[in-house]
């Protein structure tokens, strides 16, 4: 799927703009998620994934594309390592506006 198609689907509400980060990583993946939880990453003109090195940088990149709200998802393996009893599975999601 082209970047233009992804952006169109995000702007029409078919895909939810999403930024994904794994704890202890400086890579923030930028893309859209469908209602089944499938993530589609945005790519630049050289077909490389568009990423940010911080949440702020990822927000700026989406903002430059005309998108000003997204879901921020952070995934951490710590719950798995320490046996946490909550049901989040090491995943936290927030709606953010920028």
């Amino acid at each position: 799927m082209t970047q233009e198609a992804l952006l169109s689907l995000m702007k029409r509400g078919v895909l939810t703009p999403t930024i994904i980060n794994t704890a202890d990583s400086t890579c923030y993946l930028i893309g859209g998620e469908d209602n089944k939880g499938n993530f589609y990453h945005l790519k630049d003109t050289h077909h490389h994934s568009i990423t940010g090195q911080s949440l702020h940088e990822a927000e700026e990149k989406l903002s430059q594309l005309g998108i000003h709200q997204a879901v921020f998802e952070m995934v951490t393996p710590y719950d798995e390592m320490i046996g946490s009893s909550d049901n989040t599975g090491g995943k936290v999601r927030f709606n953010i506006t920028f």
Side-chain angles (χ1 to χ4, degrees):
M1 189 178 318
T2 67
Q3 177 173 320
E4 293 78 21
L6 278 173
L7 287 171
S8 175
L9 291 172
M10 285 190 268
K11 290 178 180 180
R12 292 183 310 169
V14 176
L15 295 178
T16 301
T18 305
I19 300 169
I20 298 176
N21 173 256
T22 301
D24 296 336
S25 171
T26 58
C27 181
Y28 291 73
L29 297 174
I30 303 167
E33 186 176 56
D34 66 17
N35 60 0
K36 295 179 182 177
N38 297 311
F39 181 78
Y40 303 91
H41 59 274
L42 286 173
K43 297 179 182 180
D44 63 18
T45 56
H46 301 291
H47 304 287
H48 297 117
S49 295
I50 296 176
T51 62
Q53 291 190 340
S54 68
L55 178 58
H56 180 71
E57 186 178 327
E59 290 172 343
E60 284 183 344
K61 289 183 178 190
L62 279 175
S63 184
Q64 291 169 358
L65 296 170
I67 296 172
H68 302 285
Q69 60 184 20
V71 170
F72 172 59
E73 179 178 298
M74 185 169 169
V75 182
T76 175
Y78 299 129
D79 290 348
E80 195 174 296
M81 292 187 305
I82 62 171
S84 178
S85 62
D86 68 13
N87 294 326
T88 64
K91 189 183 293 189
V92 179
R93 295 173 62 93
F94 297 97
N95 293 317
I96 57 175
T97 303
F98 40 90

